[in-house]
Amino acid sequence: MKKVTINSVAEYAGVSKKTVSRVLNNEPNVSPATREKVLKVFKELDYKPNPIARGLARNKSFIIGCLYDNPSKSYITRVQSGALEACHKFNYNLLIHPCELRGTELIENVGQLLTTSRLDGLVLTPPFSDSQELIDYLKTQDIPYARVASAIQDDSSISVRSNDEQGAFELTEHLILLGHKDIAFIKGHPDHSATEKRFSGYRNALLKHGIDFKSHLVAEGNFSYHSGADSAKEILDLDPMPTAVFASNDYMAAAVLKLATQRQLKVPEDISIAGFDNAPIARHIWPGLTTIAQPVEEMTRQAVEQLIMQISDPSTEVYQKVLEAKLITRESTAAR
Amino acid sequence: MKKVTINSVAEYAGVSKKTVSRVLNNEPNVSPATREKVLKVFKELDYKPNPIARGLARNKSFIIGCLYDNPSKSYITRVQSGALEACHKFNYNLLIHPCELRGTELIENVGQLLTTSRLDGLVLTPPFSDSQELIDYLKTQDIPYARVASAIQDDSSISVRSNDEQGAFELTEHLILLGHKDIAFIKGHPDHSATEKRFSGYRNALLKHGIDFKSHLVAEGNFSYHSGADSAKEILDLDPMPTAVFASNDYMAAAVLKLATQRQLKVPEDISIAGFDNAPIARHIWPGLTTIAQPVEEMTRQAVEQLIMQISDPSTEVYQKVLEAKLITRESTAAR
DNA sequence: ATGATATTTGACACCGGTGTCATAATGTCA
DNA sequence: TGACATTATGACACCGGTGTCAAATATCAT
């Protein structure tokens, strides 16, 4: 299998390299006859341009990097799947790069990534999308990036998020309307901006309905199943026990459900449990979890799509969007 | 921020490009003094070689591709995490490429991937690692690849798998020793070689203990939660109902557990349920699933590590390994 | 000191494309 | 038909490295 390069094509077609390059890139100023001829040779020799050479000449790699550090596997796969969809639409590829937010090496680590892969852009998922330090660094490197599910203010970069506050508000209201007054809340990871947003949605709903906020009903989680299990213990040990628990994501809610069931509590008869995200686990367990569907794939898809726009035309207006979250009721919540 | 290239380094250090290149690649035949001098300039100018230029010159990208099409999110993330570990150890990056096994475009799709990204190697995960068609194609493209969890015979390529048959045998035996005789089995996806292996482990255990194999106790699944739900219905509708169910993975087992619970059956008192893989969900639900721990990360890590070895030295002996699977007992199985 | 050999170094082509600019071919209008 | 604008084409440098090979220098034995 001999290698077919732009040179061989040019020679075979009897034109210059440059003309072949023009045809390749659909540039104007090629006569129809010549274009036709070259295209035929492409077919005949089964020519595929070398992306690396092209990358060198144009200083582009057609690769987008995805940064993440998230305890939820399903969140990651959803992010990836949205990102891939957008990438493939525009013939980009996706390189994944998990790393840790904490630790002084973050900047170094990302810098390493940038120099070793020459990415054309970066998608930041929480908690990176909320890291001011990282964002400041990226600005100095002038590499385009897009933030997913970030609540921090930065008008100069692409951002797509969903309305966490609104979602949490609706879910809390749902519980209140079912007659619950003692609603425990499990917070997410403090590094994620969604954590505060969801918490404030919860508080606002209580406020609106004239229910006193009680701080002893709030447990500190970090989105991991394990932290949910710890919080579950705290909450179920309370006396009197709250009649409902709202966990900031489905994994933690699943942990509450597990402990409740272990303790012979009936869900939702004895206690209602709700989560957030609509992760697969929410419907894989019994009873199914009432939760808030967050359009993770869609957020990421849009973010990456816009990122690619920005890469191909830096003058594109910076896209900032907030998508709606939606209440999904299942069997884990019921009237008091 | 001015760009620092090999030329500027050379000029600044007062040596030729080539000498800089030698230092860069730790090549011999550079006098200690010169090497020292160049290294100092590296630091001073904060020089980072351009991987794309290097890739063009050496026809290498330092990127490994990972092909998958698997309904289990947790399986995918485990695969990725093992692959990433190996990649980062050797300064490679990982590009992920989900695609569908079925459909005539597979070869075309992969071909496209290879020409648009110039990968240095490919990791195949099930069901791709079992696809003879794909493997034949890859051989014609002469790109190095490694197979993960594949049972098909191919001495010429790297393969790391775990002992599915043995694992299924042990799990079945565990159920038998608990006194179960009517043990239903839910098969996995027919495109995965593990499916037959697990099934045959199940049959062999029955055989060894003199229990008749009953085909009506076998349901056809495909590893997805959904298929598990369908199979669960079939099995729980049987009369008499079997006293134990062994699903070929944990997702399907979780579906059985959900339906059983919905039907007010007590697990494990009324029916024992077991899965395979030791996916996170196995311990996220109540009762926890008895299952077989499959070292997915470790398999992939080894496969990628060997792949990289092979890339850097094609004469490396082809690595083929079978790792052990391990029985994990939890609350979902009990004596009859 | 001399020649023989080993080590260090650099000039230059090359990887496979793209960008710039000059030149050739064609079209337009008075 | 000539003057000029427009379109088509190619020569050549360039992106930032690596490979080849010959020249320069150092090392060693005699």
Side-chain angles (χ1 to χ4, degrees):
Chain A
M1 201 179 60
K2 244 196 73 215
K3 243 188 295 189
V4 181
T5 71
I6 199 171
N7 292 294
S8 46
V9 171
E11 193 177 346
Y12 194 92
V15 299
S16 75
K17 271 171 88 160
K18 182 63 216 188
T19 299
V20 175
S21 168
R22 287 198 180 90
V23 174
L24 209 52
N25 295 289
N26 266 307
E27 283 173 33
N29 299 339
V30 179
S31 78
T34 310
R35 190 181 297 273
E36 209 51 47
K37 187 169 58 180
V38 172
L39 285 173
K40 224 166 79 186
V41 176
F42 281 177
K43 276 234 177 77
E44 211 160 319
L45 301 186
D46 190 32
Y47 169 66
K48 311 279 184 204
N50 180 330
I52 297 195
R54 196 178 237 177
L56 178 58
R58 292 213 282 218
N59 202 21
K60 251 178 92 47
S61 64
F62 291 95
I63 297 179
I64 301 285
C66 175
L67 236 54
Y68 60 86
D69 171 17
N70 197 301
S72 160
K73 315 277 186 212
S74 81
Y75 194 88
I76 296 172
T77 43
R78 293 177 71 189
V79 159
Q80 290 180 356
S81 119
L84 280 163
E85 204 181 313
C87 282
H88 290 170
K89 182 167 164 193
F90 296 98
N91 279 323
Y92 274 68
N93 281 115
L94 186 70
L95 193 149
I96 59 177
H97 192 83
C99 60
E100 287 176 21
L101 180 70
R102 294 298 176 186
T104 45
E105 323 87 27
L106 170 65
I107 298 302
E108 197 184 335
N109 187 334
V110 175
Q112 169 90 358
L113 173 68
L114 295 182
T115 57
T116 67
S117 340
R118 296 286 157 134
L119 302 174
D120 287 344
L122 219 42
V123 207
L124 308 183
T125 67
F128 297 110
S129 45
D130 289 320
S131 164
Q132 193 63 53
E133 184 195 5
L134 179 62
I135 289 176
D136 290 343
Y137 171 70
L138 293 180
K139 278 183 179 149
T140 70
Q141 300 304 101
D142 71 7
I143 174 168
Y145 60 96
R147 292 175 297 123
V148 173
S150 158
I152 67 173
Q153 197 61 27
D154 175 12
D155 291 339
S156 65
S157 69
I158 296 166
S159 156
V160 184
R161 61 188 185 91
S162 73
N163 201 329
D164 286 283
E165 184 160 354
Q166 157 87 9
F169 182 91
E170 278 180 31
L171 181 42
T172 310
E173 193 162 55
H174 164 74
L175 291 169
I176 294 172
L177 296 177
L178 285 172
H180 295 278
K181 293 196 156 41
D182 288 339
I183 304 173
F185 186 84
I186 304 179
K187 295 179 79 169
H189 196 292
D191 285 340
H192 293 232
S193 64
T195 292
E196 274 313 311
K197 292 284 174 189
R198 293 178 192 177
F199 186 47
S200 98
Y202 161 77
R203 294 196 60 163
N204 287 340
L206 294 182
L207 194 62
K208 172 178 170 194
H209 291 273
I211 299 177
D212 280 350
F213 167 73
K214 307 191 191 79
S215 64
H216 72 277
L217 291 181
V218 177
E220 306 281 336
N222 67 12
F223 287 137
S224 72
Y225 180 87
H226 188 82
S227 76
D230 291 345
S231 302
K233 192 160 167 1
E234 272 178 47
I235 290 169
L236 298 184
D237 279 347
L238 289 174
D239 186 13
M241 196 176 73
T243 64
V245 183
F246 173 11
S248 289
N249 77 356
D250 291 332
Y251 280 88
M252 299 193 295
V256 178
L257 176 59
K258 175 165 176 171
L259 185 62
T261 313
Q262 266 179 294
R263 293 192 175 182
Q264 319 282 354
L265 293 169
K266 288 254 179 214
V267 178
E269 292 82 353
D270 298 330
I271 188 167
S272 283
I273 298 176
F276 203 109
D277 274 357
N278 198 24
I281 198 172
R283 54 179 184 286
H284 288 354
I285 55 184
W286 178 257
L289 289 174
T290 290
T291 189
I292 293 290
Q294 209 195 165
V296 179
E297 290 92 341
E298 181 60 16
M299 283 193 290
T300 320
R301 200 186 59 67
Q302 289 194 15
V304 173
E305 202 162 295
Q306 290 297 322
L307 178 59
I308 294 176
M309 295 298 176
Q310 175 120 141
I311 291 165
S312 35
D313 176 11
S315 71
T316 312
E317 204 187 332
V318 173
Y319 184 85
Q320 304 233 19
K321 179 124 183 187
V322 180
L323 302 176
E324 287 312 304
K326 208 172 98 219
L327 176 67
I328 310 264
T329 55
R330 294 205 179 85
E331 306 84 16
S332 68
T333 52
R336 179 74 202 130
Chain B
M1 201 179 60
K2 247 198 68 214
K3 241 188 297 190
V4 180
T5 72
I6 198 170
N7 291 294
S8 45
V9 171
E11 193 177 345
Y12 194 92
V15 298
S16 74
K17 272 169 88 158
K18 182 62 214 189
T19 298
V20 176
S21 167
R22 286 198 181 90
V23 174
L24 208 51
N25 296 288
N26 265 307
E27 282 174 34
N29 298 338
V30 178
S31 78
T34 311
R35 188 181 299 273
E36 210 50 49
K37 187 170 55 181
V38 173
L39 285 172
K40 223 167 79 189
V41 176
F42 281 176
K43 277 234 176 73
E44 211 160 318
L45 302 186
D46 190 32
Y47 168 67
K48 311 280 184 202
N50 180 330
I52 297 195
R54 196 178 238 178
L56 178 59
R58 291 212 283 218
N59 202 20
K60 252 179 91 48
S61 64
F62 292 95
I63 297 179
I64 301 284
C66 177
L67 237 53
Y68 60 85
D69 171 18
N70 198 300
S72 160
K73 315 278 187 212
S74 81
Y75 194 89
I76 296 172
T77 42
R78 293 177 71 188
V79 159
Q80 290 179 355
S81 120
L84 280 162
E85 203 181 313
C87 281
H88 290 171
K89 181 167 165 192
F90 296 99
N91 279 323
Y92 275 68
N93 281 115
L94 186 70
L95 192 149
I96 58 177
H97 193 83
C99 60
E100 287 176 21
L101 180 69
R102 293 298 175 186
T104 45
E105 323 86 30
L106 170 65
I107 298 302
E108 198 185 335
N109 187 332
V110 174
Q112 169 90 359
L113 174 68
L114 295 182
T115 57
T116 67
S117 339
R118 297 286 156 133
L119 302 172
D120 287 345
L122 220 41
V123 208
L124 308 183
T125 67
F128 297 110
S129 46
D130 288 321
S131 163
Q132 194 62 54
E133 184 196 6
L134 179 62
I135 288 176
D136 289 344
Y137 171 71
L138 293 178
K139 277 182 180 151
T140 71
Q141 301 303 102
D142 69 10
I143 174 168
Y145 61 96
R147 292 175 297 124
V148 173
S150 157
I152 68 173
Q153 198 60 29
D154 174 12
D155 291 340
S156 64
S157 70
I158 295 165
S159 157
V160 185
R161 62 189 185 90
S162 73
N163 202 329
D164 287 282
E165 183 159 353
Q166 157 88 10
F169 182 92
E170 277 180 31
L171 180 43
T172 310
E173 193 163 54
H174 164 72
L175 291 169
I176 294 172
L177 295 177
L178 286 172
H180 295 278
K181 291 196 159 41
D182 288 337
I183 305 173
F185 185 84
I186 304 179
K187 293 178 81 170
H189 194 294
D191 285 341
H192 292 232
S193 63
T195 292
E196 274 312 311
K197 292 285 177 189
R198 293 178 193 176
F199 186 48
S200 100
Y202 160 76
R203 295 195 59 163
N204 287 340
L206 294 182
L207 193 64
K208 172 177 170 194
H209 290 274
I211 299 176
D212 280 348
F213 167 72
K214 307 191 191 79
S215 63
H216 72 277
L217 291 180
V218 176
E220 305 282 335
N222 67 12
F223 287 138
S224 74
Y225 180 87
H226 189 83
S227 76
D230 291 345
S231 301
K233 191 157 166 5
E234 271 177 48
I235 290 169
L236 299 184
D237 279 347
L238 289 174
D239 184 16
M241 197 176 73
T243 64
V245 183
F246 173 11
S248 290
N249 77 355
D250 291 331
Y251 281 86
M252 299 194 293
V256 177
L257 176 59
K258 175 165 177 174
L259 184 62
T261 314
Q262 266 178 295
R263 293 194 175 182
Q264 320 281 354
L265 292 168
K266 289 253 180 214
V267 177
E269 293 81 353
D270 299 328
I271 188 166
S272 283
I273 298 175
F276 203 109
D277 274 357
N278 198 24
I281 198 174
R283 54 178 184 287
H284 289 353
I285 56 185
W286 179 258
L289 289 174
T290 291
T291 188
I292 294 291
Q294 209 194 166
V296 178
E297 290 91 341
E298 180 61 16
M299 282 193 290
T300 321
R301 200 186 60 66
Q302 289 193 15
V304 173
E305 200 161 297
Q306 290 297 320
L307 178 58
I308 294 176
M309 295 298 176
Q310 175 121 138
I311 290 165
S312 36
D313 176 9
S315 71
T316 312
E317 205 185 332
V318 173
Y319 184 84
Q320 307 234 14
K321 179 123 183 188
V322 180
L323 302 176
E324 286 313 305
K326 209 173 97 217
L327 176 66
I328 311 263
T329 55
R330 295 204 179 86
E331 305 85 15
S332 69
T333 52
R336 179 76 203 127

